[in-house]
């Protein structure tokens, strides 16, 4: 689909019934605030819904479709799901993902943080500054699913949640466009305690714990999920079996770090997968100088500007990885107490050019309220400045069960 040029002033005169309507296509698509994007969704949608091919005499069908997509691409993502209730045309537009593809083309993509904290059964979606939030619908699963371990990944405009219920290991996905939960599709080899990371509309899931009638098994299996086709595909297995590992994309390759093998031994090696050659490279001693213990959380890692950072959960230190020397450098400490829980309950994520850490504040040790900090890191920085963000209107427990970031 061709997009409208941003270099020349452009306005289109549409005829809605007998009333002319001027749509200004010169709105700055790089606006920092979604509140400054084209305003009330319902009003825009109702106007467009009245615009049929019969009474829009001066607009070609293809141009009309492109105008609709370009307009809605500037509407806040949290409003999209309302379009499905207007008519079949807008419902199909949402399902096509065309709006989100246009957002990417126009540079309108923004990060959204999805979080589930202790004592809660509904995920909350935040904007990058935690000034705006939205509660997700209830997920219709049993108590076993919520009381057990769950792994989550954001890919495309979907939040993938994988856990164990009475029927076994189950996949749920939240679709941002439709604001709803859908069950499946199931993994080719269902498992939990894997490492996962996404890149565009693809997500990779490596290793984990497979449960079958013959028993439980730590695996080296890797699968790729495509958010557009909603299909799973197997790729070459890793060199090592591993569970409770972490994963990321670094220098264009899928990396898997740490975890434990089939003998519950901590792994200090990492592995990188090159999709072009469909091959894995073992990285010995990648975590050799990082403190490891049996019952600690998977490595807390995040990538900012193609640099890999790690939260050392035994000391609350922030480390940065040197890919050339295969070593880690200490940059300072983080303002949360990851050491109290061996890294469990702490979120450590990248949000655009920032690192974000969420958990129990080190300055307010007795508070049960979630604390959120961010910094703009650099491998050469000597002094880290952490900025605390205020979470408006939502009060969540400081123990974070799940957290991931979606770009939509």
């Amino acid at each position: 689909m061709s997009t409208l040029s941003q270099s020349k002033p452009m306005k289109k005169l549409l005829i809605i019934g007998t009333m002319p309507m001027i749509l200004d296509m010169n709105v700055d698509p790089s606006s920092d605030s979604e509140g400054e994007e084209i305003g009330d969704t319902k009003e825009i949608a109702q106007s467009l819904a009245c615009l049929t091919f019969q009474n829009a005499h001066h607009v070609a069908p293809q141009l009309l479709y492109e105008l609709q997509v370009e307009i809605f691409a500037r509407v806040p993502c949290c409003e999209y799901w309302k379009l499905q209730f207007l008519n079949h045309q807008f419902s199909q537009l949402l399902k096509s993902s065309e709006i989100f593809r246009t957002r990417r083309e126009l540079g309108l993509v923004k990060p959204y943080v999805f979080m589930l904290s202790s004592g809660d059964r509904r995920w909350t979606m935040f904007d990058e500054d935690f000034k705006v939030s939205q509660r997700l619908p209830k997920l219709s699963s049993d108590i076993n699913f919520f009381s057990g371990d769950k792994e989550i990944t954001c890919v495309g405009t979907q939040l993938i949640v994988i856990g164990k219920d009475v029927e076994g290991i189950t996949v749920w996905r939240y679709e941002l466009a439709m604001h709803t939960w859908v069950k499946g599709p199931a993994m080719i080899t269902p498992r939990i305690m894997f490492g996962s990371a996404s890149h565009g509309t693809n997500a990779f899931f490596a290793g984990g714990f497979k449960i079958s009638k013959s028993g439980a098994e730590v695996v080296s299996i890797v699968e790729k999920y495509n958010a557009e086709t909603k299909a799973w595909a197997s790729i070459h297995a890793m060199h090592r079996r591993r569970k409770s590992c972490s994963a990321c994309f670094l220098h264009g390759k899928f990396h898997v770090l740490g975890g434990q093998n089939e003998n519950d031994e901590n792994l200090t090696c990492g592995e990188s997968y090159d999709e072009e050659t469909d091959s894995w490279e073992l990285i010995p001693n990648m975590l050799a100088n990082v403190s490891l213990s049996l019952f600690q959380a998977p490595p807390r890692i995040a990538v900012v500007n193609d640099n890999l950072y790690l939260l050392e959960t035994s000391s609350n230190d922030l480390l940065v990885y040197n890919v050339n020397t295969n070593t880690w450098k200490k940059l300072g400490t983080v303002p949360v107490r990851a050491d109290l829980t061996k890294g469990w309950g702490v979120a450590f994520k990248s949000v655009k050019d920032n690192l974000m850490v969420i958990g129990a504040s080190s300055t307010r040790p007795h508070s049960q309220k979630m604390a959120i900090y961010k910094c703009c890191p650099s491998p050469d920085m000597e002094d880290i400045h952490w900025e605390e963000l205020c979470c408006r209107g939502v009060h969540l427990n400081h123990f974070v069960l799940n957290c991931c970031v979606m770009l939509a």
Side-chain angles (χ1 to χ4, degrees), residues 32-33 111 113 126-132 351-352 354 356 372 374 387-392:
D32 291 333
S33 171
V113 181
F126 299 90
D127 70 338
E128 60 184 294
D129 297 317
F130 283 76
K131 295 179 180 178
V132 178
V351 181
K352 294 199 316 189
N354 293 310
M356 186 171 290
I372 308 161
K374 72 173 182 179
E387 175 188 355
E388 185 170 7
L389 301 181
C390 179
C391 183
R392 299 180 181 177

Side-chain angles (χ1 to χ4, degrees), residues 217-393:
E217 179 186 2
V218 179
V219 299
S220 58
I221 295 171
V222 185
E223 296 179 25
K224 179 173 70 172
Y225 173 77
N226 185 287
E228 292 186 335
T229 63
K230 300 179 178 63
W232 295 86
S234 296
I235 62 176
H236 281 161
M238 296 182 291
H239 292 282
R240 298 284 187 269
R241 296 170 182 254
R242 58 180 82 213
K243 63 179 180 179
S244 298
C245 50
S246 296
C248 66
F249 271 87
L250 180 67
H251 300 305
K253 296 181 180 180
F254 177 60
H255 284 66
V256 183
L257 286 70
Q260 292 91 39
N261 62 16
E262 62 271 28
N263 299 316
D264 286 332
E265 298 168 333
N266 286 312
L267 295 171
T268 60
C269 62
E271 303 189 41
S272 67
Y273 174 72
D274 188 332
E275 194 167 9
E276 291 186 1
T277 61
D278 190 23
S279 61
W280 286 90
E281 178 185 355
L282 193 66
I283 309 174
N285 302 317
M286 192 173 185
L287 296 177
N289 298 321
V290 177
S291 177
L292 301 174
S293 63
L294 183 58
F295 299 107
Q296 74 179 31
R300 298 308 189 197
I301 59 174
V303 175
V304 178
N305 295 324
D306 228 9
N307 291 304
L308 177 61
Y309 297 88
L310 180 142
L311 169 57
E312 225 281 19
T313 54
S314 64
S315 61
N316 303 315
D317 288 334
L318 175 64
L319 309 179
V320 63
Y321 180 65
N322 187 321
V323 68
N324 297 317
T325 61
N326 193 29
T327 58
W328 295 87
K329 172 187 173 182
K330 179 181 175 180
L331 297 178
T333 58
V334 299
V336 300
R337 294 298 306 272
D339 59 318
L340 296 178
T341 56
K342 294 183 178 292
W344 298 104
V346 175
F348 184 70
K349 298 294 177 181
S350 60
V351 181
K352 294 199 316 189
D353 294 333
N354 293 310
L355 269 179
M356 186 171 290
V357 59
I358 307 171
S361 174
S362 57
T363 61
R364 300 186 296 273
H366 301 295
S367 173
Q368 294 295 309
K369 185 179 178 181
M370 177 181 69
I372 308 161
Y373 299 90
K374 72 173 182 179
C375 74
C376 186
S378 167
D380 302 320
M381 67 192 311
E382 296 181 357
D383 184 32
I384 306 175
H385 172 67
W386 291 95
E387 175 188 355
E388 185 170 7
L389 301 181
C390 179
C391 183
R392 299 180 181 177

Side-chain angles (χ1 to χ4, degrees), residues 4 12 14 25 59 63-71:
L4 299 180
K12 293 295 179 182
L14 305 187
M25 302 308 296
V59 184
L63 178 58
L64 175 60
Y65 176 80
E66 292 186 3
L67 285 171
Q68 292 174 348
V69 173
E70 294 247 6
I71 291 171

Side-chain angles (χ1 to χ4, degrees), residues 174-207:
Y174 167 75
E175 296 190 351
L176 177 63
M178 308 303 288
H179 190 51
T180 188
W181 289 98
V182 181
K183 196 171 186 178
M187 304 175 81
I188 299 172
T189 303
R191 57 202 191 278
I192 54 175
M193 299 172 68
F194 47 76
S196 64
S198 62
H199 184 69
T201 57
N202 289 316
F204 291 78
F205 298 76

Side-chain angles (χ1 to χ4, degrees), residues 66-126:
E66 292 186 3
L67 285 171
Q68 292 174 348
V69 173
E70 294 247 6
I71 291 171
F72 284 124
R74 291 165 168 80
V75 173
C77 288
C78 59
E79 302 287 340
Y80 286 164
W81 65 278
K82 300 175 183 177
L83 300 179
Q84 64 184 301
F85 302 111
L86 292 174
N87 58 36
H88 179 72
Q89 177 187 358
F90 289 119
S91 179
Q92 290 301 111
L93 179 60
L94 279 179
K95 294 177 181 179
S96 72
S97 299
E98 189 70 28
I99 295 176
F100 293 102
R101 281 193 287 269
T102 301
R103 284 179 66 87
R104 291 194 294 269
E105 292 172 1
L106 297 179
L108 295 170
V109 169
K110 296 185 179 182
Y112 296 90
V113 181
F114 290 79
M115 196 180 312
L116 180 71
S117 64
S118 178
D120 206 349
R121 292 191 61 174
R122 293 176 65 182
W123 275 263
T124 304
M125 180 178 76
F126 299 90

